[in-house]
Amino acid sequence: MKTYLLTILLIFCFTQVFHSQEDDGVVSLVLPIRNSLTFNRFALNPTFSFVREQSKAISVYNKREWVEFDDAPLTYLASYSGRFSENIGAGLGLFQQNYGVLTTFGGILNFAYNARLGRENNLTFALNAGAYKSGLNASKVITNFSDPSTQNVPENFLLTVNPGINFGTEFFDFGVSVNNLVLYNLETSNMVEDNPSQSIQGHIMYTGYMASNGFFDESKFSGLIKSEFSRDNTIISAIAMLTVPKGIWTQVGYNTQFGVSGGLGINITNQIALEYNYEKAIGDFSNFGSSHDFTLAYRFTNKYRFKYGSEDEVVGILSNGIKRRKSKPISRAKAEENKRIIAERRAKAQIERADREERLAQKRADEKALREADTKSSNVQESNNDEENQAQQIAEQKAKKEAEAQARLLAEQKAKEEAEAQAKLLAEKKVKEEAEAQAKLLEEQKAKEEAEAQARLLEEQKAMAEAKAQAKLLADEQTKLESEAQARLLEEQK
C-alpha cells in the first residue's frame, strides 16, 4: 500500500512540476512560495524585491506539502533580499526541493531596477535567474531487487530566466512576469522545449493604511490577485494580509489548484520575526492532506529613508516599545508648503546665526580692546608713569570707543535713512502710478462721454432731418391735393 501511494504521488509530481523528455529527469524551477506577502516576495514576482520595500532581510523558509504521505514534497530556502538603494532591489537565495526520490539543489539571483515616472508613479523592471542541479536521490530509493531504470535517470544542470515588470501608483501595483521563459540544459547544451511549467503571470496588488482609533490604528492592508496561464492549466489566486502596528500580521488566501490557506506572523523583536502558514487542499486534491510553511527572518535596521514607498512601523513583543514609524502619504500641495516653511526657517536661522556671529565678534573685539587697555594701564603703572599719561591713554581709548560707537550709529542711521528713502521712493512711485491710472481712467471716461454726446447729437440731427423731410412730403402732398381740387372745381365750373 505504501509503494502504491508513493507511485501516485510521484506521478502527480511529474505531471505538475517536472518536465520529462523521455525520462531525462529535467525539472522546471517552481518554488512553492505562494501564501505570504511578507518575506521572499521576489518568488511571487521578480519586481517585489523592490516594490513596497524599505529594508533588507535574511530569512530561512521551509515548506512541507501533503504531510499525510511519506516522502512528500519538501522545500528549503535561505535568502537575503530587499531594497539596497533608491532605485535598486535585489535578492539571493539557495534552495533544495525533494520530490520523493527526486531532488533539486541550486540558487536563484534576483535584480530589480526602478524608474520613477512621477511623484507617485514608477515602473520597475526585474529578473530572476536560477541555476540548479536535478537528479535522483539514491538514498531515497528502496527496492528489493536491482532496478536498471533508476540507474538511467541522469543528473542535469539547468539555467532558467524569469523576467517581470511592475507599474506602481500611490496605492496600486500592476505587473506581469514570465515563469521559465528560458530553460537551458548544460548537460545536453540544448534549450528545453515544450515546457509545461512555462507560464505568464499577471497581478494586481493594493496597499493601504487604516485610519481609526484603538488597536487597528495605522494598520496596513495588502491585497494581491494573481492569475497564471500555462499551456495546459490556468490558476487564479488571491491573498489578503493585515499588519497591525503592534507587531502582528495575519493573512488568508485561496488558490484554484492548491486550495485555501491562512497564516500568522509575529515580530519577536524589532528585527527577528516568525511566520507560519497553513494550506489545505480542496476538490480533487483534498485527499493529499495539508501543507505547512515556516519562516524565520531577521530584518536589518534601515539607516536610509528612501523616497518611494512607506516605511512601516515595526514593533516586537520584546522591543520595549521602540518603534519605527511609517511615513503617511501627503498631498503635493502639503509637500510644497512643507518645503517652503523649511526654506523660510533655514533662511531665518542663517540670518540669526550671522547676527549672533557679528555680535560675538564685536564683543570679542571690545573685550580685546579692554584687555589691551588694562595691559597698557598695568605697564604704565609698573613703569611708574605719571597719572597724566595714564589719563591720556584712557581718554584716547574712550575716544576711540566713542568714535567706533559714533561710526556704528552713523552707519545704522545711514542704513535707516536709505531704507526710509527707498520706502519713500516706492511710496511716491506707487502714488504716481495711482495718479496716472486715475488720470487714464478719467480720460477714458471723458472720451466715452464725448462719444456718447456725439452719438446723441447725430441721432437728434437725424431725427430733425427726418421730421423736415416728413413735413415737406406732407406739404407737397397737400399742394398736390389742393391743385387736384382746384382742377376739379374748374372742371365742374366749365
Side-chain angles (χ1 to χ4, degrees), residues 189-222:
S189 298
N190 290 318
M191 299 289 293
V192 177
E193 304 292 341
D194 299 329
N195 185 357
S197 295
Q198 186 181 73
S199 62
I200 298 177
Q201 177 180 294
H203 72 263
I204 300 175
M205 183 170 67
Y206 171 82
T207 305
Y209 294 88
M210 301 173 60
S212 63
N213 296 324
F215 184 75
F216 292 99
D217 186 31
E218 296 185 354
S219 296
K220 182 177 77 170
F221 174 80
S222 301

PDB file of all heavy atoms in Angstrom, residues 189-222:
ATOM      1  N   SER A 189      23.472  20.796 -23.628  1.00  0.00           N
ATOM      2  CA  SER A 189      23.736  22.021 -24.403  1.00  0.00           C
ATOM      3  C   SER A 189      22.580  22.345 -25.336  1.00  0.00           C
ATOM      4  O   SER A 189      22.781  22.769 -26.477  1.00  0.00           O
ATOM      5  CB  SER A 189      25.042  21.882 -25.203  1.00  0.00           C
ATOM      6  OG  SER A 189      26.137  21.702 -24.345  1.00  0.00           O
ATOM      7  N   ASN A 190      21.362  22.153 -24.833  1.00  0.00           N
ATOM      8  CA  ASN A 190      20.170  22.412 -25.628  1.00  0.00           C
ATOM      9  C   ASN A 190      19.138  23.152 -24.791  1.00  0.00           C
ATOM     10  O   ASN A 190      19.098  23.022 -23.556  1.00  0.00           O
ATOM     11  CB  ASN A 190      19.552  21.110 -26.150  1.00  0.00           C
ATOM     12  CG  ASN A 190      20.413  20.461 -27.213  1.00  0.00           C
ATOM     13  OD1 ASN A 190      20.950  21.143 -28.088  1.00  0.00           O
ATOM     14  ND2 ASN A 190      20.540  19.135 -27.142  1.00  0.00           N
ATOM     15  N   MET A 191      18.298  23.920 -25.487  1.00  0.00           N
ATOM     16  CA  MET A 191      17.146  24.525 -24.834  1.00  0.00           C
ATOM     17  C   MET A 191      16.085  23.464 -24.601  1.00  0.00           C
ATOM     18  O   MET A 191      15.881  22.576 -25.434  1.00  0.00           O
ATOM     19  CB  MET A 191      16.564  25.640 -25.711  1.00  0.00           C
ATOM     20  CG  MET A 191      17.536  26.777 -25.993  1.00  0.00           C
ATOM     21  SD  MET A 191      17.861  27.800 -24.556  1.00  0.00           S
ATOM     22  CE  MET A 191      16.253  28.532 -24.344  1.00  0.00           C
ATOM     23  N   VAL A 192      15.408  23.530 -23.470  1.00  0.00           N
ATOM     24  CA  VAL A 192      14.320  22.603 -23.166  1.00  0.00           C
ATOM     25  C   VAL A 192      13.058  23.117 -23.844  1.00  0.00           C
ATOM     26  O   VAL A 192      12.608  24.234 -23.569  1.00  0.00           O
ATOM     27  CB  VAL A 192      14.117  22.475 -21.652  1.00  0.00           C
ATOM     28  CG1 VAL A 192      12.934  21.579 -21.346  1.00  0.00           C
ATOM     29  CG2 VAL A 192      15.383  21.956 -20.993  1.00  0.00           C
ATOM     30  N   GLU A 193      12.507  22.335 -24.729  1.00  0.00           N
ATOM     31  CA  GLU A 193      11.319  22.715 -25.485  1.00  0.00           C
ATOM     32  C   GLU A 193      10.060  22.155 -24.816  1.00  0.00           C
ATOM     33  O   GLU A 193      10.118  21.208 -24.037  1.00  0.00           O
ATOM     34  CB  GLU A 193      11.409  22.207 -26.925  1.00  0.00           C
ATOM     35  CG  GLU A 193      12.659  22.671 -27.670  1.00  0.00           C
ATOM     36  CD  GLU A 193      12.655  24.162 -27.931  1.00  0.00           C
ATOM     37  OE1 GLU A 193      11.561  24.771 -27.878  1.00  0.00           O
ATOM     38  OE2 GLU A 193      13.734  24.725 -28.192  1.00  0.00           O
ATOM     39  N   ASP A 194       8.911  22.753 -25.155  1.00  0.00           N
ATOM     40  CA  ASP A 194       7.604  22.281 -24.687  1.00  0.00           C
ATOM     41  C   ASP A 194       7.584  22.113 -23.169  1.00  0.00           C
ATOM     42  O   ASP A 194       7.251  21.052 -22.630  1.00  0.00           O
ATOM     43  CB  ASP A 194       7.241  20.955 -25.368  1.00  0.00           C
ATOM     44  CG  ASP A 194       7.140  21.103 -26.870  1.00  0.00           C
ATOM     45  OD1 ASP A 194       6.757  22.202 -27.317  1.00  0.00           O
ATOM     46  OD2 ASP A 194       7.458  20.134 -27.586  1.00  0.00           O
ATOM     47  N   ASN A 195       7.950  23.163 -22.470  1.00  0.00           N
ATOM     48  CA  ASN A 195       7.996  23.139 -21.014  1.00  0.00           C
ATOM     49  C   ASN A 195       6.601  23.438 -20.468  1.00  0.00           C
ATOM     50  O   ASN A 195       6.119  24.564 -20.581  1.00  0.00           O
ATOM     51  CB  ASN A 195       8.997  24.179 -20.518  1.00  0.00           C
ATOM     52  CG  ASN A 195       9.184  24.138 -19.020  1.00  0.00           C
ATOM     53  OD1 ASN A 195       8.531  23.379 -18.314  1.00  0.00           O
ATOM     54  ND2 ASN A 195      10.101  24.959 -18.531  1.00  0.00           N
ATOM     55  N   PRO A 196       5.920  22.474 -19.821  1.00  0.00           N
ATOM     56  CA  PRO A 196       4.568  22.736 -19.313  1.00  0.00           C
ATOM     57  C   PRO A 196       4.547  23.705 -18.139  1.00  0.00           C
ATOM     58  O   PRO A 196       3.503  24.247 -17.801  1.00  0.00           O
ATOM     59  CB  PRO A 196       4.074  21.345 -18.888  1.00  0.00           C
ATOM     60  CG  PRO A 196       5.310  20.576 -18.601  1.00  0.00           C
ATOM     61  CD  PRO A 196       6.350  21.077 -19.558  1.00  0.00           C
ATOM     62  N   SER A 197       5.699  23.926 -17.483  1.00  0.00           N
ATOM     63  CA  SER A 197       5.746  24.874 -16.365  1.00  0.00           C
ATOM     64  C   SER A 197       6.009  26.296 -16.823  1.00  0.00           C
ATOM     65  O   SER A 197       6.090  27.206 -16.001  1.00  0.00           O
ATOM     66  CB  SER A 197       6.849  24.457 -15.377  1.00  0.00           C
ATOM     67  OG  SER A 197       6.542  23.216 -14.785  1.00  0.00           O
ATOM     68  N   GLN A 198       6.173  26.492 -18.128  1.00  0.00           N
ATOM     69  CA  GLN A 198       6.322  27.853 -18.649  1.00  0.00           C
ATOM     70  C   GLN A 198       4.953  28.531 -18.634  1.00  0.00           C
ATOM     71  O   GLN A 198       3.986  28.001 -19.170  1.00  0.00           O
ATOM     72  CB  GLN A 198       6.895  27.818 -20.059  1.00  0.00           C
ATOM     73  CG  GLN A 198       7.212  29.185 -20.630  1.00  0.00           C
ATOM     74  CD  GLN A 198       7.755  29.097 -22.046  1.00  0.00           C
ATOM     75  OE1 GLN A 198       7.014  28.811 -22.977  1.00  0.00           O
ATOM     76  NE2 GLN A 198       9.058  29.314 -22.186  1.00  0.00           N
ATOM     77  N   SER A 199       4.875  29.716 -18.028  1.00  0.00           N
ATOM     78  CA  SER A 199       3.570  30.374 -17.865  1.00  0.00           C
ATOM     79  C   SER A 199       3.754  31.883 -17.835  1.00  0.00           C
ATOM     80  O   SER A 199       4.841  32.395 -17.568  1.00  0.00           O
ATOM     81  CB  SER A 199       2.882  29.906 -16.576  1.00  0.00           C
ATOM     82  OG  SER A 199       3.664  30.251 -15.442  1.00  0.00           O
ATOM     83  N   ILE A 200       2.648  32.563 -18.106  1.00  0.00           N
ATOM     84  CA  ILE A 200       2.592  34.024 -17.993  1.00  0.00           C
ATOM     85  C   ILE A 200       1.750  34.365 -16.771  1.00  0.00           C
ATOM     86  O   ILE A 200       0.641  33.847 -16.600  1.00  0.00           O
ATOM     87  CB  ILE A 200       1.989  34.657 -19.252  1.00  0.00           C
ATOM     88  CG1 ILE A 200       2.867  34.356 -20.469  1.00  0.00           C
ATOM     89  CG2 ILE A 200       1.833  36.160 -19.078  1.00  0.00           C
ATOM     90  CD1 ILE A 200       2.291  34.877 -21.762  1.00  0.00           C
ATOM     91  N   GLN A 201       2.268  35.243 -15.942  1.00  0.00           N
ATOM     92  CA  GLN A 201       1.615  35.560 -14.668  1.00  0.00           C
ATOM     93  C   GLN A 201       1.327  37.058 -14.597  1.00  0.00           C
ATOM     94  O   GLN A 201       2.196  37.878 -14.885  1.00  0.00           O
ATOM     95  CB  GLN A 201       2.533  35.135 -13.525  1.00  0.00           C
ATOM     96  CG  GLN A 201       2.010  35.460 -12.142  1.00  0.00           C
ATOM     97  CD  GLN A 201       2.992  34.994 -11.079  1.00  0.00           C
ATOM     98  OE1 GLN A 201       3.213  33.799 -10.906  1.00  0.00           O
ATOM     99  NE2 GLN A 201       3.592  35.938 -10.379  1.00  0.00           N
ATOM    100  N   GLY A 202       0.109  37.416 -14.236  1.00  0.00           N
ATOM    101  CA  GLY A 202      -0.269  38.809 -14.049  1.00  0.00           C
ATOM    102  C   GLY A 202      -0.806  39.035 -12.650  1.00  0.00           C
ATOM    103  O   GLY A 202      -1.368  38.122 -12.031  1.00  0.00           O
ATOM    104  N   HIS A 203      -0.660  40.237 -12.133  1.00  0.00           N
ATOM    105  CA  HIS A 203      -1.128  40.511 -10.779  1.00  0.00           C
ATOM    106  C   HIS A 203      -1.624  41.950 -10.647  1.00  0.00           C
ATOM    107  O   HIS A 203      -1.209  42.839 -11.385  1.00  0.00           O
ATOM    108  CB  HIS A 203      -0.026  40.246  -9.747  1.00  0.00           C
ATOM    109  CG  HIS A 203       1.067  41.273  -9.771  1.00  0.00           C
ATOM    110  ND1 HIS A 203       2.252  41.088 -10.450  1.00  0.00           N
ATOM    111  CD2 HIS A 203       1.164  42.520  -9.212  1.00  0.00           C
ATOM    112  CE1 HIS A 203       3.015  42.149 -10.302  1.00  0.00           C
ATOM    113  NE2 HIS A 203       2.381  43.044  -9.557  1.00  0.00           N
ATOM    114  N   ILE A 204      -2.504  42.148  -9.688  1.00  0.00           N
ATOM    115  CA  ILE A 204      -2.954  43.468  -9.231  1.00  0.00           C
ATOM    116  C   ILE A 204      -2.828  43.459  -7.718  1.00  0.00           C
ATOM    117  O   ILE A 204      -3.368  42.569  -7.050  1.00  0.00           O
ATOM    118  CB  ILE A 204      -4.401  43.769  -9.649  1.00  0.00           C
ATOM    119  CG1 ILE A 204      -4.544  43.752 -11.167  1.00  0.00           C
ATOM    120  CG2 ILE A 204      -4.841  45.122  -9.099  1.00  0.00           C
ATOM    121  CD1 ILE A 204      -5.983  43.927 -11.632  1.00  0.00           C
ATOM    122  N   MET A 205      -2.129  44.438  -7.151  1.00  0.00           N
ATOM    123  CA  MET A 205      -1.921  44.485  -5.701  1.00  0.00           C
ATOM    124  C   MET A 205      -2.316  45.857  -5.171  1.00  0.00           C
ATOM    125  O   MET A 205      -2.018  46.876  -5.783  1.00  0.00           O
ATOM    126  CB  MET A 205      -0.467  44.189  -5.351  1.00  0.00           C
ATOM    127  CG  MET A 205      -0.202  44.147  -3.853  1.00  0.00           C
ATOM    128  SD  MET A 205       1.451  43.520  -3.423  1.00  0.00           S
ATOM    129  CE  MET A 205       2.470  44.844  -4.065  1.00  0.00           C
ATOM    130  N   TYR A 206      -2.983  45.858  -4.032  1.00  0.00           N
ATOM    131  CA  TYR A 206      -3.383  47.102  -3.357  1.00  0.00           C
ATOM    132  C   TYR A 206      -2.697  47.148  -1.994  1.00  0.00           C
ATOM    133  O   TYR A 206      -2.646  46.145  -1.263  1.00  0.00           O
ATOM    134  CB  TYR A 206      -4.894  47.164  -3.167  1.00  0.00           C
ATOM    135  CG  TYR A 206      -5.337  48.319  -2.290  1.00  0.00           C
ATOM    136  CD1 TYR A 206      -5.471  49.600  -2.803  1.00  0.00           C
ATOM    137  CD2 TYR A 206      -5.595  48.124  -0.938  1.00  0.00           C
ATOM    138  CE1 TYR A 206      -5.854  50.656  -2.008  1.00  0.00           C
ATOM    139  CE2 TYR A 206      -5.985  49.179  -0.124  1.00  0.00           C
ATOM    140  CZ  TYR A 206      -6.121  50.445  -0.665  1.00  0.00           C
ATOM    141  OH  TYR A 206      -6.497  51.484   0.138  1.00  0.00           O
ATOM    142  N   THR A 207      -2.181  48.324  -1.633  1.00  0.00           N
ATOM    143  CA  THR A 207      -1.558  48.526  -0.333  1.00  0.00           C
ATOM    144  C   THR A 207      -2.061  49.845   0.238  1.00  0.00           C
ATOM    145  O   THR A 207      -1.901  50.899  -0.389  1.00  0.00           O
ATOM    146  CB  THR A 207      -0.026  48.566  -0.446  1.00  0.00           C
ATOM    147  OG1 THR A 207       0.429  47.376  -1.084  1.00  0.00           O
ATOM    148  CG2 THR A 207       0.606  48.674   0.937  1.00  0.00           C
ATOM    149  N   GLY A 208      -2.684  49.784   1.401  1.00  0.00           N
ATOM    150  CA  GLY A 208      -3.216  50.988   2.029  1.00  0.00           C
ATOM    151  C   GLY A 208      -3.149  50.887   3.542  1.00  0.00           C
ATOM    152  O   GLY A 208      -2.811  49.837   4.110  1.00  0.00           O
ATOM    153  N   TYR A 209      -3.484  51.994   4.200  1.00  0.00           N
ATOM    154  CA  TYR A 209      -3.399  52.072   5.652  1.00  0.00           C
ATOM    155  C   TYR A 209      -4.743  52.499   6.235  1.00  0.00           C
ATOM    156  O   TYR A 209      -5.467  53.290   5.641  1.00  0.00           O
ATOM    157  CB  TYR A 209      -2.300  53.046   6.079  1.00  0.00           C
ATOM    158  CG  TYR A 209      -0.922  52.577   5.706  1.00  0.00           C
ATOM    159  CD1 TYR A 209      -0.388  52.896   4.458  1.00  0.00           C
ATOM    160  CD2 TYR A 209      -0.168  51.792   6.566  1.00  0.00           C
ATOM    161  CE1 TYR A 209       0.865  52.451   4.088  1.00  0.00           C
ATOM    162  CE2 TYR A 209       1.087  51.349   6.207  1.00  0.00           C
ATOM    163  CZ  TYR A 209       1.603  51.682   4.979  1.00  0.00           C
ATOM    164  OH  TYR A 209       2.842  51.238   4.613  1.00  0.00           O
ATOM    165  N   MET A 210      -5.047  51.945   7.405  1.00  0.00           N
ATOM    166  CA  MET A 210      -6.311  52.208   8.075  1.00  0.00           C
ATOM    167  C   MET A 210      -6.140  53.359   9.055  1.00  0.00           C
ATOM    168  O   MET A 210      -5.145  53.424   9.782  1.00  0.00           O
ATOM    169  CB  MET A 210      -6.788  50.951   8.819  1.00  0.00           C
ATOM    170  CG  MET A 210      -6.991  49.739   7.932  1.00  0.00           C
ATOM    171  SD  MET A 210      -7.344  48.232   8.879  1.00  0.00           S
ATOM    172  CE  MET A 210      -8.848  48.721   9.739  1.00  0.00           C
ATOM    173  N   ALA A 211      -7.109  54.257   9.046  1.00  0.00           N
ATOM    174  CA  ALA A 211      -7.123  55.385   9.987  1.00  0.00           C
ATOM    175  C   ALA A 211      -8.291  55.174  10.945  1.00  0.00           C
ATOM    176  O   ALA A 211      -9.448  55.345  10.589  1.00  0.00           O
ATOM    177  CB  ALA A 211      -7.266  56.715   9.249  1.00  0.00           C
ATOM    178  N   SER A 212      -7.985  54.757  12.151  1.00  0.00           N
ATOM    179  CA  SER A 212      -9.023  54.507  13.149  1.00  0.00           C
ATOM    180  C   SER A 212      -8.402  54.680  14.528  1.00  0.00           C
ATOM    181  O   SER A 212      -7.201  54.872  14.679  1.00  0.00           O
ATOM    182  CB  SER A 212      -9.606  53.099  12.996  1.00  0.00           C
ATOM    183  OG  SER A 212      -8.609  52.120  13.227  1.00  0.00           O
ATOM    184  N   ASN A 213      -9.241  54.609  15.517  1.00  0.00           N
ATOM    185  CA  ASN A 213      -8.769  54.713  16.884  1.00  0.00           C
ATOM    186  C   ASN A 213      -8.662  53.321  17.493  1.00  0.00           C
ATOM    187  O   ASN A 213      -9.467  52.430  17.216  1.00  0.00           O
ATOM    188  CB  ASN A 213      -9.726  55.566  17.719  1.00  0.00           C
ATOM    189  CG  ASN A 213      -9.778  57.004  17.230  1.00  0.00           C
ATOM    190  OD1 ASN A 213      -8.763  57.552  16.804  1.00  0.00           O
ATOM    191  ND2 ASN A 213     -10.944  57.612  17.294  1.00  0.00           N
ATOM    192  N   GLY A 214      -7.636  53.123  18.326  1.00  0.00           N
ATOM    193  CA  GLY A 214      -7.533  51.870  19.018  1.00  0.00           C
ATOM    194  C   GLY A 214      -6.479  50.942  18.440  1.00  0.00           C
ATOM    195  O   GLY A 214      -5.468  51.369  17.878  1.00  0.00           O
ATOM    196  N   PHE A 215      -6.756  49.656  18.553  1.00  0.00           N
ATOM    197  CA  PHE A 215      -5.764  48.619  18.236  1.00  0.00           C
ATOM    198  C   PHE A 215      -5.364  48.618  16.770  1.00  0.00           C
ATOM    199  O   PHE A 215      -4.211  48.337  16.432  1.00  0.00           O
ATOM    200  CB  PHE A 215      -6.345  47.254  18.633  1.00  0.00           C
ATOM    201  CG  PHE A 215      -5.391  46.107  18.440  1.00  0.00           C
ATOM    202  CD1 PHE A 215      -4.347  45.906  19.319  1.00  0.00           C
ATOM    203  CD2 PHE A 215      -5.541  45.245  17.368  1.00  0.00           C
ATOM    204  CE1 PHE A 215      -3.465  44.858  19.145  1.00  0.00           C
ATOM    205  CE2 PHE A 215      -4.664  44.191  17.185  1.00  0.00           C
ATOM    206  CZ  PHE A 215      -3.632  43.989  18.079  1.00  0.00           C
ATOM    207  N   PHE A 216      -6.306  48.891  15.861  1.00  0.00           N
ATOM    208  CA  PHE A 216      -6.035  48.785  14.425  1.00  0.00           C
ATOM    209  C   PHE A 216      -5.606  50.104  13.779  1.00  0.00           C
ATOM    210  O   PHE A 216      -5.515  50.182  12.560  1.00  0.00           O
ATOM    211  CB  PHE A 216      -7.283  48.260  13.696  1.00  0.00           C
ATOM    212  CG  PHE A 216      -7.616  46.832  14.038  1.00  0.00           C
ATOM    213  CD1 PHE A 216      -8.591  46.548  14.961  1.00  0.00           C
ATOM    214  CD2 PHE A 216      -6.934  45.793  13.434  1.00  0.00           C
ATOM    215  CE1 PHE A 216      -8.897  45.237  15.285  1.00  0.00           C
ATOM    216  CE2 PHE A 216      -7.234  44.478  13.742  1.00  0.00           C
ATOM    217  CZ  PHE A 216      -8.212  44.193  14.677  1.00  0.00           C
ATOM    218  N   ASP A 217      -5.346  51.144  14.582  1.00  0.00           N
ATOM    219  CA  ASP A 217      -4.933  52.424  14.014  1.00  0.00           C
ATOM    220  C   ASP A 217      -3.602  52.270  13.284  1.00  0.00           C
ATOM    221  O   ASP A 217      -2.663  51.672  13.804  1.00  0.00           O
ATOM    222  CB  ASP A 217      -4.797  53.464  15.126  1.00  0.00           C
ATOM    223  CG  ASP A 217      -4.516  54.845  14.575  1.00  0.00           C
ATOM    224  OD1 ASP A 217      -4.978  55.131  13.452  1.00  0.00           O
ATOM    225  OD2 ASP A 217      -3.824  55.624  15.250  1.00  0.00           O
ATOM    226  N   GLU A 218      -3.529  52.802  12.046  1.00  0.00           N
ATOM    227  CA  GLU A 218      -2.354  52.757  11.180  1.00  0.00           C
ATOM    228  C   GLU A 218      -1.992  51.345  10.746  1.00  0.00           C
ATOM    229  O   GLU A 218      -0.852  51.078  10.359  1.00  0.00           O
ATOM    230  CB  GLU A 218      -1.154  53.425  11.853  1.00  0.00           C
ATOM    231  CG  GLU A 218      -1.341  54.911  12.099  1.00  0.00           C
ATOM    232  CD  GLU A 218      -0.083  55.565  12.650  1.00  0.00           C
ATOM    233  OE1 GLU A 218       0.877  54.845  12.947  1.00  0.00           O
ATOM    234  OE2 GLU A 218      -0.083  56.801  12.782  1.00  0.00           O
ATOM    235  N   SER A 219      -2.940  50.422  10.797  1.00  0.00           N
ATOM    236  CA  SER A 219      -2.686  49.074  10.302  1.00  0.00           C
ATOM    237  C   SER A 219      -2.582  49.089   8.781  1.00  0.00           C
ATOM    238  O   SER A 219      -3.267  49.856   8.112  1.00  0.00           O
ATOM    239  CB  SER A 219      -3.801  48.123  10.737  1.00  0.00           C
ATOM    240  OG  SER A 219      -3.824  47.989  12.141  1.00  0.00           O
ATOM    241  N   LYS A 220      -1.722  48.240   8.242  1.00  0.00           N
ATOM    242  CA  LYS A 220      -1.535  48.157   6.799  1.00  0.00           C
ATOM    243  C   LYS A 220      -2.327  46.984   6.237  1.00  0.00           C
ATOM    244  O   LYS A 220      -2.270  45.873   6.751  1.00  0.00           O
ATOM    245  CB  LYS A 220      -0.060  47.984   6.443  1.00  0.00           C
ATOM    246  CG  LYS A 220       0.189  47.950   4.935  1.00  0.00           C
ATOM    247  CD  LYS A 220       1.653  47.862   4.591  1.00  0.00           C
ATOM    248  CE  LYS A 220       2.207  46.482   4.786  1.00  0.00           C
ATOM    249  NZ  LYS A 220       3.570  46.330   4.241  1.00  0.00           N
ATOM    250  N   PHE A 221      -3.065  47.247   5.149  1.00  0.00           N
ATOM    251  CA  PHE A 221      -3.810  46.199   4.455  1.00  0.00           C
ATOM    252  C   PHE A 221      -3.207  46.005   3.067  1.00  0.00           C
ATOM    253  O   PHE A 221      -3.004  46.970   2.328  1.00  0.00           O
ATOM    254  CB  PHE A 221      -5.292  46.559   4.335  1.00  0.00           C
ATOM    255  CG  PHE A 221      -6.069  45.568   3.506  1.00  0.00           C
ATOM    256  CD1 PHE A 221      -6.490  44.371   4.055  1.00  0.00           C
ATOM    257  CD2 PHE A 221      -6.354  45.835   2.171  1.00  0.00           C
ATOM    258  CE1 PHE A 221      -7.187  43.456   3.284  1.00  0.00           C
ATOM    259  CE2 PHE A 221      -7.050  44.926   1.404  1.00  0.00           C
ATOM    260  CZ  PHE A 221      -7.476  43.727   1.969  1.00  0.00           C
ATOM    261  N   SER A 222      -2.919  44.754   2.726  1.00  0.00           N
ATOM    262  CA  SER A 222      -2.388  44.412   1.409  1.00  0.00           C
ATOM    263  C   SER A 222      -3.261  43.329   0.796  1.00  0.00           C
ATOM    264  O   SER A 222      -3.619  42.353   1.471  1.00  0.00           O
ATOM    265  CB  SER A 222      -0.940  43.916   1.512  1.00  0.00           C
ATOM    266  OG  SER A 222      -0.113  44.893   2.086  1.00  0.00           O
TER     267      SER A 222
END
